[in-house]
């Protein structure tokens, strides 16, 4: 599904059917909210956000990819550190204290998963991978 309006952010989602995993539904909902909110904050007007939920073997993958104006330098794993802000000037503009991605990482870890961030030619890509049964 894709939603797009001129001058706004385009949102595309690819959600697999029949994807089941065990976990705390409220915490997984919080994870989704945190990563999508982060993408919305840092995607420029006219940019794109792509959300994926899919099964890959015995793993469930949730990922959010978004275009962004400025890419933070250095080790992307620092983005998951509590209170870390890649661009301090953005803290004043977008609000927040730099704990959202650290909370996301804690949720993924509590579900025995792994979260990563990487650059793509289109921006930044956050991916959480969880074990699934069956």
């Amino acid at each position: 599904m894709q939603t797009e309006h001129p001058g706004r952010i385009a949102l595309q989602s690819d959600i697999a059917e029949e994807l089941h995993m065990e976990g705390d539904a409220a915490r997984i909902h919080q994870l989704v909210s945190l990563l999508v909110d982060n993408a919305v904050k840092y995607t420029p007007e006219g940019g794109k956000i792509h959300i994926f939920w899919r099964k890959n073997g015995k793993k469930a993958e949730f990922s959010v990819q978004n275009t962004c104006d400025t890419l933070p330098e250095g080790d992307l794993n620092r983005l998951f550190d509590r209170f870390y802000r890649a661009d301090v000037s953005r803290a004043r503009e977008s609000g927040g204290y730099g704990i959202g991605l650290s909370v996301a990482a804690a949720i993924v870890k509590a579900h025995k998963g792994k979260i990563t961030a990487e650059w793509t030619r289109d921006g930044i890509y956050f991916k959480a991978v969880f074990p699934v049964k069956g």
Side-chain angles (χ1 to χ4, degrees):
M1 176 165 96
Q2 184 167 344
T3 306
E4 192 167 347
H5 298 282
R8 297 186 183 165
I9 297 172
L11 176 64
Q12 183 175 358
S13 61
D14 291 311
I15 311 295
E17 293 183 31
E18 300 300 319
L19 177 61
H20 302 279
M21 63 177 269
E22 290 184 22
D24 181 333
R27 298 285 288 174
I28 296 298
H29 184 268
Q30 183 182 19
L31 169 69
V32 171
S33 294
L34 287 166
L35 291 180
V36 171
D37 181 59
N38 187 69
V40 169
K41 281 182 184 177
Y42 293 101
T43 301
E45 194 171 298
K48 296 180 182 179
I49 298 173
H50 197 154
I51 301 167
F52 303 88
W53 259 116
R54 59 183 159 224
K55 188 172 181 184
N56 186 358
K58 294 193 180 249
K59 306 277 185 200
E61 295 179 358
F62 172 69
S63 57
V64 177
Q65 179 178 7
N66 64 284
T67 54
C68 50
D69 286 333
T70 320
L71 303 176
E73 295 179 12
D75 182 8
L76 292 182
N77 289 324
R78 298 245 9 242
L79 294 173
F80 300 110
D81 292 348
R82 186 174 286 255
F83 305 118
Y84 178 77
R85 298 296 298 230
D87 182 354
V88 178
S89 66
R90 290 284 297 201
R92 285 184 219 100
E93 293 175 27
S94 60
Y97 297 98
I99 62 171
L101 292 176
S102 67
V103 172
I107 293 168
V108 173
K109 184 177 180 181
H111 286 83
K112 298 180 175 46
K114 182 178 180 180
I115 190 167
T116 58
E118 63 184 68
W119 300 126
T120 68
R121 62 182 170 87
D122 297 321
I124 194 164
Y125 182 68
F126 291 95
K127 179 168 68 171
V129 179
F130 304 93
V132 294
K133 293 183 179 181

